[in-house]
Amino acid sequence: MSKDNPKADISNAEFEVLDVLWDDYPATSSDIVERLNRKKPWHDKTVKTLLSRLVKKGVLDFDKAQRQYLYRPLIAREDYTKKEATSFVSRLFKGKVAPLVAGFANQNSLSQQDVDELKALIKQWEQNND
């Protein structure tokens, strides 16, 4: 999978399809529908349309095996989430992370585990950037 290949915007529904594919691929459209249906009902035709869109956007590719298409992601989950997180912070917080964290802290949305993980990340960053 390409690490620095910029991808088109992905809708929420497309993301749900991509998310189950990241968990285990390659997969047929039937496999993907089955996985999606564990959370909520999805129609086969809807999923096939979303798969087609993701292929056109360059996010997925497929191989034809006999009469089925085997889909696989072209972007890693980590790369996509990093790109989206950066875009989110840039758009809403002018590129600054502190106001985002402060918003969660002010709403009492941070658990002790969240705080401990943030402290560990900061400590690691300080060690790597001294």
Side-chain angles (χ1 to χ4, degrees), residues 13-26:
E14 291 167 345
F15 178 80
E16 289 187 58
V17 170
L18 186 55
D19 195 40
V20 298
L21 194 53
W22 275 322
D23 289 337
D24 187 24
Y25 62 88

Side-chain angles (χ1 to χ4, degrees), residues 11-76:
S11 71
N12 290 341
E14 291 167 345
F15 178 80
E16 289 187 58
V17 170
L18 186 55
D19 195 40
V20 298
L21 194 53
W22 275 322
D23 289 337
D24 187 24
Y25 62 88
T28 66
S29 61
S30 298
D31 295 334
I32 295 165
V33 169
E34 180 185 323
R35 292 182 213 160
L36 288 166
N37 280 331
R38 293 176 193 158
K39 296 178 185 173
K40 66 180 185 184
W42 286 77
H43 192 277
D44 290 2
K45 189 173 180 178
T46 301
V47 173
K48 288 179 181 177
T49 298
L50 294 169
L51 288 167
S52 177
R53 286 183 193 166
L54 289 166
V55 168
K56 286 179 185 171
K57 290 180 178 185
V59 176
L60 297 183
D61 200 4
F62 63 88
D63 294 311
K64 189 168 183 179
Q66 297 171 346
R67 300 173 88 173
Q68 293 185 322
Y69 292 99
L70 294 172
Y71 293 92
R72 66 182 183 284
L74 293 177
I75 184 171

Side-chain angles (χ1 to χ4, degrees), residues 110-127:
L110 293 176
S111 67
Q112 186 59 51
Q113 181 179 350
D114 290 330
V115 173
D116 293 343
E117 289 175 8
L118 286 167
K119 286 179 181 178
L121 286 169
I122 291 167
K123 183 177 181 179
Q124 183 66 44
W125 184 89
E126 288 174 338
Q127 289 172 351

